[in-house]
Amino acid sequence: MLKIGVLVSGGGTNLQAIIDSIESNYIKNAEIAVVVSSNPNAYALERAKNHNIEGVTIRKKDFSDVSLYEQALIDCFKERNVELIVMAGFMVVIGEKFIDAFRNRIMNVHPSLIPAFCGDGFYGLRVHEAALKRGVKLTGATVHFVNEITDGGPIILQKAVEVMEDDTPEVLQKRVMQEAEWIIYPEAVKLFAEGRLSVVDDKVIIRR
Amino acid sequence: MLKIGVLVSGGGTNLQAIIDSIESNYIKNAEIAVVVSSNPNAYALERAKNHNIEGVTIRKKDFSDVSLYEQALIDCFKERNVELIVMAGFMVVIGEKFIDAFRNRIMNVHPSLIPAFCGDGFYGLRVHEAALKRGVKLTGATVHFVNEITDGGPIILQKAVEVMEDDTPEVLQKRVMQEAEWIIYPEAVKLFAEGRLSVVDDKVIIRR
């Protein structure tokens, strides 16, 4: 049974997509061991509670330095035998120590087709604002392993989504979530749980 | 009847896709008035000849400066009442004078989902090499109007194509042509010929 740790800061819709995929048995042999929030008021903690998943708040500001903060995260996950970390709208930049502790075991979803509209400063609505400003006709989402480069880690799955001419950033954000993120994030977790992902030369190989 | 001018330098497979789309009546009310090559040995000129389309070679090196070269291109097209220029593997960088003469009337296809893998230095196989190096799972093609920024003009159509794990740049290039370029380039020309494209605020609006 793969134990998953989820990092959240807000609403946790991607957390919900993964919970649903486990409960419906789309993802087998996996369970969410703990949801760690950077914010005690995150609605994601309510979602965890509603599904009898342990919720924990760990705030960066409660630690005297970043290394101690990252060690607290590492300890929290290691104590629970977590083998996969899923970032689901986690708004804290995590550093080398944490990444090293879970190399190729931390996933994130980014709301664009990387390498378009990604990197520092591209998060949340800003990604969709940039896509609309450029006038792209396709955007999408990317699930990737996290490394030291913002949105620069090995790509696991990508899915394209059409941009409509009257889209606002909010409307496009919602479509990208519904048509891409909530589909490929559970799929990536499923592939991981089935032992079908490997990283070779910074690229993800999927055993089909 | 829309008169189209096509700029080529090599094999002209995108030229062929457009010829076929006109002959099959997928693109209506349009004809290719002239194919202009930068290279007298371009196979694209054979394709033109095979379909009774006038072929002309205009070489940059035959002119004492760029302005005269661009004027020769402009004259060639204006004399034939060309209203749409289609770049089909044209390997010469065209400048402001030519672009100004046919503002939002020059189309190009780029073998990636712009803004990924585009701009100076990204042409031909280099685009696909870069995509494979980054390990993207989706790539594709983009048809856009040409402006002063390399691959930076208003986007008309985009289509995604899957990357396979054993792809070489050559294999990926061929798949992107077959599954994206040869489909969306004729579609973009058809939309133009039907008067359904307009550019507002550097973005293409398609009247559906």
Side-chain angles (χ1 to χ4, degrees), chain A residues 127-161:
Chain A
V127 177
H128 305 291
E129 283 163 4
L132 292 176
K133 189 169 177 214
R134 179 61 186 90
V136 294
K137 300 297 184 183
L138 282 184
T139 183
T142 302
V143 178
H144 62 92
F145 285 120
V146 173
N147 69 8
E148 286 78 1
I149 304 160
T150 307
D151 304 322
I155 293 169
I156 304 166
L157 293 172
Q158 296 187 294
K159 190 167 190 295
V161 172

PDB file of all heavy atoms in Angstrom, chain A residues 127-161:
ATOM      1  N   VAL A 127      -0.860  32.526 -14.857  1.00  0.00           N
ATOM      2  CA  VAL A 127      -0.552  31.622 -15.973  1.00  0.00           C
ATOM      3  C   VAL A 127      -1.582  31.819 -17.087  1.00  0.00           C
ATOM      4  O   VAL A 127      -1.244  31.936 -18.268  1.00  0.00           O
ATOM      5  CB  VAL A 127      -0.574  30.156 -15.489  1.00  0.00           C
ATOM      6  CG1 VAL A 127      -0.340  29.193 -16.650  1.00  0.00           C
ATOM      7  CG2 VAL A 127       0.448  29.953 -14.377  1.00  0.00           C
ATOM      8  N   HIS A 128      -2.840  31.865 -16.696  1.00  0.00           N
ATOM      9  CA  HIS A 128      -3.925  31.965 -17.679  1.00  0.00           C
ATOM     10  C   HIS A 128      -3.993  33.367 -18.288  1.00  0.00           C
ATOM     11  O   HIS A 128      -4.312  33.524 -19.459  1.00  0.00           O
ATOM     12  CB  HIS A 128      -5.243  31.547 -17.025  1.00  0.00           C
ATOM     13  CG  HIS A 128      -5.148  30.181 -16.411  1.00  0.00           C
ATOM     14  ND1 HIS A 128      -5.032  29.048 -17.176  1.00  0.00           N
ATOM     15  CD2 HIS A 128      -5.070  29.764 -15.121  1.00  0.00           C
ATOM     16  CE1 HIS A 128      -4.922  27.992 -16.388  1.00  0.00           C
ATOM     17  NE2 HIS A 128      -4.945  28.404 -15.134  1.00  0.00           N
ATOM     18  N   GLU A 129      -3.686  34.379 -17.483  1.00  0.00           N
ATOM     19  CA  GLU A 129      -3.598  35.745 -18.015  1.00  0.00           C
ATOM     20  C   GLU A 129      -2.546  35.812 -19.119  1.00  0.00           C
ATOM     21  O   GLU A 129      -2.765  36.418 -20.177  1.00  0.00           O
ATOM     22  CB  GLU A 129      -3.235  36.730 -16.893  1.00  0.00           C
ATOM     23  CG  GLU A 129      -4.415  37.073 -15.988  1.00  0.00           C
ATOM     24  CD  GLU A 129      -3.985  37.702 -14.662  1.00  0.00           C
ATOM     25  OE1 GLU A 129      -2.778  37.947 -14.466  1.00  0.00           O
ATOM     26  OE2 GLU A 129      -4.879  37.913 -13.811  1.00  0.00           O
ATOM     27  N   ALA A 130      -1.408  35.176 -18.876  1.00  0.00           N
ATOM     28  CA  ALA A 130      -0.319  35.200 -19.867  1.00  0.00           C
ATOM     29  C   ALA A 130      -0.724  34.444 -21.136  1.00  0.00           C
ATOM     30  O   ALA A 130      -0.424  34.881 -22.252  1.00  0.00           O
ATOM     31  CB  ALA A 130       0.947  34.595 -19.271  1.00  0.00           C
ATOM     32  N   ALA A 131      -1.402  33.328 -20.970  1.00  0.00           N
ATOM     33  CA  ALA A 131      -1.835  32.546 -22.136  1.00  0.00           C
ATOM     34  C   ALA A 131      -2.834  33.357 -22.976  1.00  0.00           C
ATOM     35  O   ALA A 131      -2.737  33.390 -24.211  1.00  0.00           O
ATOM     36  CB  ALA A 131      -2.452  31.227 -21.687  1.00  0.00           C
ATOM     37  N   LEU A 132      -3.773  34.020 -22.314  1.00  0.00           N
ATOM     38  CA  LEU A 132      -4.755  34.830 -23.038  1.00  0.00           C
ATOM     39  C   LEU A 132      -4.085  36.027 -23.701  1.00  0.00           C
ATOM     40  O   LEU A 132      -4.422  36.395 -24.828  1.00  0.00           O
ATOM     41  CB  LEU A 132      -5.873  35.293 -22.098  1.00  0.00           C
ATOM     42  CG  LEU A 132      -6.790  34.187 -21.579  1.00  0.00           C
ATOM     43  CD1 LEU A 132      -7.803  34.757 -20.585  1.00  0.00           C
ATOM     44  CD2 LEU A 132      -7.513  33.489 -22.727  1.00  0.00           C
ATOM     45  N   LYS A 133      -3.119  36.629 -23.015  1.00  0.00           N
ATOM     46  CA  LYS A 133      -2.424  37.788 -23.571  1.00  0.00           C
ATOM     47  C   LYS A 133      -1.682  37.399 -24.856  1.00  0.00           C
ATOM     48  O   LYS A 133      -1.663  38.137 -25.833  1.00  0.00           O
ATOM     49  CB  LYS A 133      -1.444  38.347 -22.539  1.00  0.00           C
ATOM     50  CG  LYS A 133      -0.853  39.666 -22.962  1.00  0.00           C
ATOM     51  CD  LYS A 133      -0.086  40.341 -21.842  1.00  0.00           C
ATOM     52  CE  LYS A 133       0.534  41.626 -22.380  1.00  0.00           C
ATOM     53  NZ  LYS A 133       1.822  41.931 -21.786  1.00  0.00           N
ATOM     54  N   ARG A 134      -1.064  36.210 -24.859  1.00  0.00           N
ATOM     55  CA  ARG A 134      -0.332  35.760 -26.050  1.00  0.00           C
ATOM     56  C   ARG A 134      -1.277  35.325 -27.159  1.00  0.00           C
ATOM     57  O   ARG A 134      -0.897  35.240 -28.317  1.00  0.00           O
ATOM     58  CB  ARG A 134       0.620  34.608 -25.677  1.00  0.00           C
ATOM     59  CG  ARG A 134       1.425  34.048 -26.855  1.00  0.00           C
ATOM     60  CD  ARG A 134       2.311  35.112 -27.479  1.00  0.00           C
ATOM     61  NE  ARG A 134       2.989  34.630 -28.685  1.00  0.00           N
ATOM     62  CZ  ARG A 134       2.495  34.715 -29.922  1.00  0.00           C
ATOM     63  NH1 ARG A 134       1.299  35.266 -30.115  1.00  0.00           N
ATOM     64  NH2 ARG A 134       3.179  34.283 -30.943  1.00  0.00           N
ATOM     65  N   GLY A 135      -2.523  35.017 -26.781  1.00  0.00           N
ATOM     66  CA  GLY A 135      -3.483  34.608 -27.797  1.00  0.00           C
ATOM     67  C   GLY A 135      -3.304  33.175 -28.274  1.00  0.00           C
ATOM     68  O   GLY A 135      -3.618  32.861 -29.428  1.00  0.00           O
ATOM     69  N   VAL A 136      -2.825  32.294 -27.389  1.00  0.00           N
ATOM     70  CA  VAL A 136      -2.702  30.883 -27.793  1.00  0.00           C
ATOM     71  C   VAL A 136      -4.089  30.285 -27.983  1.00  0.00           C
ATOM     72  O   VAL A 136      -5.064  30.714 -27.364  1.00  0.00           O
ATOM     73  CB  VAL A 136      -1.898  30.031 -26.769  1.00  0.00           C
ATOM     74  CG1 VAL A 136      -0.448  30.497 -26.723  1.00  0.00           C
ATOM     75  CG2 VAL A 136      -2.542  30.048 -25.401  1.00  0.00           C
ATOM     76  N   LYS A 137      -4.168  29.290 -28.865  1.00  0.00           N
ATOM     77  CA  LYS A 137      -5.439  28.605 -29.095  1.00  0.00           C
ATOM     78  C   LYS A 137      -5.504  27.304 -28.305  1.00  0.00           C
ATOM     79  O   LYS A 137      -6.589  26.726 -28.148  1.00  0.00           O
ATOM     80  CB  LYS A 137      -5.601  28.297 -30.595  1.00  0.00           C
ATOM     81  CG  LYS A 137      -5.599  29.547 -31.472  1.00  0.00           C
ATOM     82  CD  LYS A 137      -6.770  30.474 -31.175  1.00  0.00           C
ATOM     83  CE  LYS A 137      -6.789  31.668 -32.124  1.00  0.00           C
ATOM     84  NZ  LYS A 137      -7.885  32.610 -31.789  1.00  0.00           N
ATOM     85  N   LEU A 138      -4.363  26.819 -27.835  1.00  0.00           N
ATOM     86  CA  LEU A 138      -4.295  25.632 -26.970  1.00  0.00           C
ATOM     87  C   LEU A 138      -3.470  25.965 -25.738  1.00  0.00           C
ATOM     88  O   LEU A 138      -2.418  26.587 -25.835  1.00  0.00           O
ATOM     89  CB  LEU A 138      -3.604  24.457 -27.668  1.00  0.00           C
ATOM     90  CG  LEU A 138      -4.347  23.635 -28.695  1.00  0.00           C
ATOM     91  CD1 LEU A 138      -3.467  22.473 -29.147  1.00  0.00           C
ATOM     92  CD2 LEU A 138      -5.673  23.108 -28.152  1.00  0.00           C
ATOM     93  N   THR A 139      -3.960  25.510 -24.592  1.00  0.00           N
ATOM     94  CA  THR A 139      -3.141  25.512 -23.387  1.00  0.00           C
ATOM     95  C   THR A 139      -3.330  24.136 -22.757  1.00  0.00           C
ATOM     96  O   THR A 139      -3.595  23.179 -23.487  1.00  0.00           O
ATOM     97  CB  THR A 139      -3.493  26.696 -22.455  1.00  0.00           C
ATOM     98  OG1 THR A 139      -2.616  26.678 -21.339  1.00  0.00           O
ATOM     99  CG2 THR A 139      -4.941  26.675 -22.022  1.00  0.00           C
ATOM    100  N   GLY A 140      -3.208  24.004 -21.446  1.00  0.00           N
ATOM    101  CA  GLY A 140      -3.387  22.682 -20.866  1.00  0.00           C
ATOM    102  C   GLY A 140      -2.768  22.605 -19.494  1.00  0.00           C
ATOM    103  O   GLY A 140      -2.635  23.626 -18.803  1.00  0.00           O
ATOM    104  N   ALA A 141      -2.406  21.391 -19.086  1.00  0.00           N
ATOM    105  CA  ALA A 141      -1.780  21.199 -17.782  1.00  0.00           C
ATOM    106  C   ALA A 141      -0.671  20.160 -17.905  1.00  0.00           C
ATOM    107  O   ALA A 141      -0.667  19.343 -18.833  1.00  0.00           O
ATOM    108  CB  ALA A 141      -2.809  20.763 -16.750  1.00  0.00           C
ATOM    109  N   THR A 142       0.247  20.233 -16.951  1.00  0.00           N
ATOM    110  CA  THR A 142       1.421  19.357 -16.923  1.00  0.00           C
ATOM    111  C   THR A 142       1.615  18.820 -15.506  1.00  0.00           C
ATOM    112  O   THR A 142       1.681  19.610 -14.562  1.00  0.00           O
ATOM    113  CB  THR A 142       2.695  20.149 -17.316  1.00  0.00           C
ATOM    114  OG1 THR A 142       2.515  20.705 -18.625  1.00  0.00           O
ATOM    115  CG2 THR A 142       3.933  19.270 -17.287  1.00  0.00           C
ATOM    116  N   VAL A 143       1.712  17.508 -15.358  1.00  0.00           N
ATOM    117  CA  VAL A 143       2.132  16.930 -14.080  1.00  0.00           C
ATOM    118  C   VAL A 143       3.604  16.569 -14.216  1.00  0.00           C
ATOM    119  O   VAL A 143       4.014  15.964 -15.213  1.00  0.00           O
ATOM    120  CB  VAL A 143       1.321  15.671 -13.719  1.00  0.00           C
ATOM    121  CG1 VAL A 143       1.819  15.080 -12.397  1.00  0.00           C
ATOM    122  CG2 VAL A 143      -0.153  15.993 -13.616  1.00  0.00           C
ATOM    123  N   HIS A 144       4.398  16.998 -13.231  1.00  0.00           N
ATOM    124  CA  HIS A 144       5.845  16.751 -13.314  1.00  0.00           C
ATOM    125  C   HIS A 144       6.398  16.435 -11.931  1.00  0.00           C
ATOM    126  O   HIS A 144       5.778  16.771 -10.913  1.00  0.00           O
ATOM    127  CB  HIS A 144       6.548  17.977 -13.901  1.00  0.00           C
ATOM    128  CG  HIS A 144       6.404  19.230 -13.078  1.00  0.00           C
ATOM    129  ND1 HIS A 144       7.317  19.600 -12.110  1.00  0.00           N
ATOM    130  CD2 HIS A 144       5.431  20.180 -13.036  1.00  0.00           C
ATOM    131  CE1 HIS A 144       6.922  20.733 -11.537  1.00  0.00           C
ATOM    132  NE2 HIS A 144       5.780  21.099 -12.079  1.00  0.00           N
ATOM    133  N   PHE A 145       7.548  15.797 -11.923  1.00  0.00           N
ATOM    134  CA  PHE A 145       8.281  15.654 -10.677  1.00  0.00           C
ATOM    135  C   PHE A 145       8.949  16.985 -10.374  1.00  0.00           C
ATOM    136  O   PHE A 145       9.327  17.728 -11.293  1.00  0.00           O
ATOM    137  CB  PHE A 145       9.332  14.537 -10.778  1.00  0.00           C
ATOM    138  CG  PHE A 145       8.745  13.153 -10.737  1.00  0.00           C
ATOM    139  CD1 PHE A 145       8.934  12.276 -11.799  1.00  0.00           C
ATOM    140  CD2 PHE A 145       8.008  12.719  -9.643  1.00  0.00           C
ATOM    141  CE1 PHE A 145       8.402  10.989 -11.773  1.00  0.00           C
ATOM    142  CE2 PHE A 145       7.469  11.438  -9.599  1.00  0.00           C
ATOM    143  CZ  PHE A 145       7.665  10.581 -10.668  1.00  0.00           C
ATOM    144  N   VAL A 146       9.088  17.270  -9.086  1.00  0.00           N
ATOM    145  CA  VAL A 146       9.644  18.554  -8.668  1.00  0.00           C
ATOM    146  C   VAL A 146      11.156  18.430  -8.507  1.00  0.00           C
ATOM    147  O   VAL A 146      11.636  17.497  -7.846  1.00  0.00           O
ATOM    148  CB  VAL A 146       8.992  18.991  -7.336  1.00  0.00           C
ATOM    149  CG1 VAL A 146       9.673  20.241  -6.779  1.00  0.00           C
ATOM    150  CG2 VAL A 146       7.501  19.239  -7.539  1.00  0.00           C
ATOM    151  N   ASN A 147      11.883  19.340  -9.145  1.00  0.00           N
ATOM    152  CA  ASN A 147      13.324  19.444  -8.863  1.00  0.00           C
ATOM    153  C   ASN A 147      13.647  20.887  -8.477  1.00  0.00           C
ATOM    154  O   ASN A 147      12.728  21.663  -8.186  1.00  0.00           O
ATOM    155  CB  ASN A 147      14.156  18.903 -10.041  1.00  0.00           C
ATOM    156  CG  ASN A 147      14.082  19.781 -11.272  1.00  0.00           C
ATOM    157  OD1 ASN A 147      13.526  20.886 -11.238  1.00  0.00           O
ATOM    158  ND2 ASN A 147      14.641  19.304 -12.365  1.00  0.00           N
ATOM    159  N   GLU A 148      14.912  21.238  -8.499  1.00  0.00           N
ATOM    160  CA  GLU A 148      15.322  22.554  -7.980  1.00  0.00           C
ATOM    161  C   GLU A 148      14.906  23.712  -8.899  1.00  0.00           C
ATOM    162  O   GLU A 148      14.955  24.877  -8.496  1.00  0.00           O
ATOM    163  CB  GLU A 148      16.841  22.587  -7.764  1.00  0.00           C
ATOM    164  CG  GLU A 148      17.329  21.800  -6.563  1.00  0.00           C
ATOM    165  CD  GLU A 148      17.397  20.280  -6.780  1.00  0.00           C
ATOM    166  OE1 GLU A 148      17.072  19.799  -7.885  1.00  0.00           O
ATOM    167  OE2 GLU A 148      17.762  19.581  -5.820  1.00  0.00           O
ATOM    168  N   ILE A 149      14.523  23.409 -10.132  1.00  0.00           N
ATOM    169  CA  ILE A 149      14.131  24.468 -11.074  1.00  0.00           C
ATOM    170  C   ILE A 149      12.603  24.616 -11.051  1.00  0.00           C
ATOM    171  O   ILE A 149      11.887  23.624 -11.210  1.00  0.00           O
ATOM    172  CB  ILE A 149      14.603  24.115 -12.506  1.00  0.00           C
ATOM    173  CG1 ILE A 149      16.123  23.882 -12.514  1.00  0.00           C
ATOM    174  CG2 ILE A 149      14.209  25.196 -13.498  1.00  0.00           C
ATOM    175  CD1 ILE A 149      16.596  23.070 -13.712  1.00  0.00           C
ATOM    176  N   THR A 150      12.116  25.829 -10.876  1.00  0.00           N
ATOM    177  CA  THR A 150      10.669  26.047 -10.832  1.00  0.00           C
ATOM    178  C   THR A 150      10.015  25.539 -12.112  1.00  0.00           C
ATOM    179  O   THR A 150      10.352  26.004 -13.209  1.00  0.00           O
ATOM    180  CB  THR A 150      10.349  27.553 -10.668  1.00  0.00           C
ATOM    181  OG1 THR A 150      11.064  28.040  -9.529  1.00  0.00           O
ATOM    182  CG2 THR A 150       8.864  27.781 -10.469  1.00  0.00           C
ATOM    183  N   ASP A 151       9.105  24.580 -11.969  1.00  0.00           N
ATOM    184  CA  ASP A 151       8.405  23.965 -13.110  1.00  0.00           C
ATOM    185  C   ASP A 151       9.370  23.307 -14.101  1.00  0.00           C
ATOM    186  O   ASP A 151       9.017  23.081 -15.260  1.00  0.00           O
ATOM    187  CB  ASP A 151       7.533  24.999 -13.856  1.00  0.00           C
ATOM    188  CG  ASP A 151       6.541  25.681 -12.931  1.00  0.00           C
ATOM    189  OD1 ASP A 151       5.991  25.003 -12.043  1.00  0.00           O
ATOM    190  OD2 ASP A 151       6.327  26.894 -13.080  1.00  0.00           O
ATOM    191  N   GLY A 152      10.581  22.994 -13.642  1.00  0.00           N
ATOM    192  CA  GLY A 152      11.600  22.474 -14.540  1.00  0.00           C
ATOM    193  C   GLY A 152      11.853  20.985 -14.420  1.00  0.00           C
ATOM    194  O   GLY A 152      12.729  20.451 -15.093  1.00  0.00           O
ATOM    195  N   GLY A 153      11.106  20.289 -13.578  1.00  0.00           N
ATOM    196  CA  GLY A 153      11.363  18.869 -13.342  1.00  0.00           C
ATOM    197  C   GLY A 153      10.834  17.975 -14.456  1.00  0.00           C
ATOM    198  O   GLY A 153      10.124  18.425 -15.357  1.00  0.00           O
ATOM    199  N   PRO A 154      11.193  16.680 -14.386  1.00  0.00           N
ATOM    200  CA  PRO A 154      10.783  15.722 -15.419  1.00  0.00           C
ATOM    201  C   PRO A 154       9.262  15.661 -15.576  1.00  0.00           C
ATOM    202  O   PRO A 154       8.527  15.546 -14.590  1.00  0.00           O
ATOM    203  CB  PRO A 154      11.330  14.393 -14.874  1.00  0.00           C
ATOM    204  CG  PRO A 154      12.480  14.777 -13.989  1.00  0.00           C
ATOM    205  CD  PRO A 154      12.072  16.070 -13.357  1.00  0.00           C
ATOM    206  N   ILE A 155       8.818  15.735 -16.828  1.00  0.00           N
ATOM    207  CA  ILE A 155       7.388  15.784 -17.135  1.00  0.00           C
ATOM    208  C   ILE A 155       6.795  14.380 -17.178  1.00  0.00           C
ATOM    209  O   ILE A 155       7.307  13.496 -17.864  1.00  0.00           O
ATOM    210  CB  ILE A 155       7.163  16.501 -18.493  1.00  0.00           C
ATOM    211  CG1 ILE A 155       7.549  17.981 -18.355  1.00  0.00           C
ATOM    212  CG2 ILE A 155       5.716  16.345 -18.980  1.00  0.00           C
ATOM    213  CD1 ILE A 155       7.624  18.732 -19.681  1.00  0.00           C
ATOM    214  N   ILE A 156       5.704  14.198 -16.434  1.00  0.00           N
ATOM    215  CA  ILE A 156       5.041  12.885 -16.367  1.00  0.00           C
ATOM    216  C   ILE A 156       3.909  12.797 -17.389  1.00  0.00           C
ATOM    217  O   ILE A 156       3.853  11.877 -18.199  1.00  0.00           O
ATOM    218  CB  ILE A 156       4.511  12.623 -14.935  1.00  0.00           C
ATOM    219  CG1 ILE A 156       5.668  12.738 -13.920  1.00  0.00           C
ATOM    220  CG2 ILE A 156       3.835  11.249 -14.856  1.00  0.00           C
ATOM    221  CD1 ILE A 156       5.208  12.826 -12.468  1.00  0.00           C
ATOM    222  N   LEU A 157       2.989  13.736 -17.348  1.00  0.00           N
ATOM    223  CA  LEU A 157       1.834  13.735 -18.257  1.00  0.00           C
ATOM    224  C   LEU A 157       1.483  15.168 -18.625  1.00  0.00           C
ATOM    225  O   LEU A 157       1.655  16.085 -17.818  1.00  0.00           O
ATOM    226  CB  LEU A 157       0.613  13.083 -17.590  1.00  0.00           C
ATOM    227  CG  LEU A 157       0.656  11.583 -17.284  1.00  0.00           C
ATOM    228  CD1 LEU A 157      -0.569  11.177 -16.457  1.00  0.00           C
ATOM    229  CD2 LEU A 157       0.714  10.733 -18.554  1.00  0.00           C
ATOM    230  N   GLN A 158       0.952  15.334 -19.838  1.00  0.00           N
ATOM    231  CA  GLN A 158       0.437  16.637 -20.273  1.00  0.00           C
ATOM    232  C   GLN A 158      -0.870  16.421 -21.012  1.00  0.00           C
ATOM    233  O   GLN A 158      -1.047  15.400 -21.681  1.00  0.00           O
ATOM    234  CB  GLN A 158       1.441  17.326 -21.219  1.00  0.00           C
ATOM    235  CG  GLN A 158       2.762  17.654 -20.542  1.00  0.00           C
ATOM    236  CD  GLN A 158       3.689  18.474 -21.411  1.00  0.00           C
ATOM    237  OE1 GLN A 158       4.155  17.990 -22.419  1.00  0.00           O
ATOM    238  NE2 GLN A 158       3.978  19.700 -21.009  1.00  0.00           N
ATOM    239  N   LYS A 159      -1.763  17.384 -20.874  1.00  0.00           N
ATOM    240  CA  LYS A 159      -3.042  17.301 -21.599  1.00  0.00           C
ATOM    241  C   LYS A 159      -3.407  18.692 -22.095  1.00  0.00           C
ATOM    242  O   LYS A 159      -3.331  19.662 -21.349  1.00  0.00           O
ATOM    243  CB  LYS A 159      -4.135  16.751 -20.681  1.00  0.00           C
ATOM    244  CG  LYS A 159      -5.432  16.391 -21.396  1.00  0.00           C
ATOM    245  CD  LYS A 159      -6.355  15.565 -20.513  1.00  0.00           C
ATOM    246  CE  LYS A 159      -7.534  15.008 -21.300  1.00  0.00           C
ATOM    247  NZ  LYS A 159      -8.431  16.042 -21.805  1.00  0.00           N
ATOM    248  N   ALA A 160      -3.814  18.756 -23.365  1.00  0.00           N
ATOM    249  CA  ALA A 160      -4.141  20.043 -23.979  1.00  0.00           C
ATOM    250  C   ALA A 160      -5.606  20.408 -23.754  1.00  0.00           C
ATOM    251  O   ALA A 160      -6.467  19.536 -23.631  1.00  0.00           O
ATOM    252  CB  ALA A 160      -3.852  19.994 -25.477  1.00  0.00           C
ATOM    253  N   VAL A 161      -5.861  21.694 -23.690  1.00  0.00           N
ATOM    254  CA  VAL A 161      -7.213  22.242 -23.506  1.00  0.00           C
ATOM    255  C   VAL A 161      -7.374  23.415 -24.463  1.00  0.00           C
ATOM    256  O   VAL A 161      -6.461  24.229 -24.610  1.00  0.00           O
ATOM    257  CB  VAL A 161      -7.396  22.721 -22.047  1.00  0.00           C
ATOM    258  CG1 VAL A 161      -8.706  23.475 -21.857  1.00  0.00           C
ATOM    259  CG2 VAL A 161      -7.292  21.549 -21.079  1.00  0.00           C
TER     260      VAL A 161
END
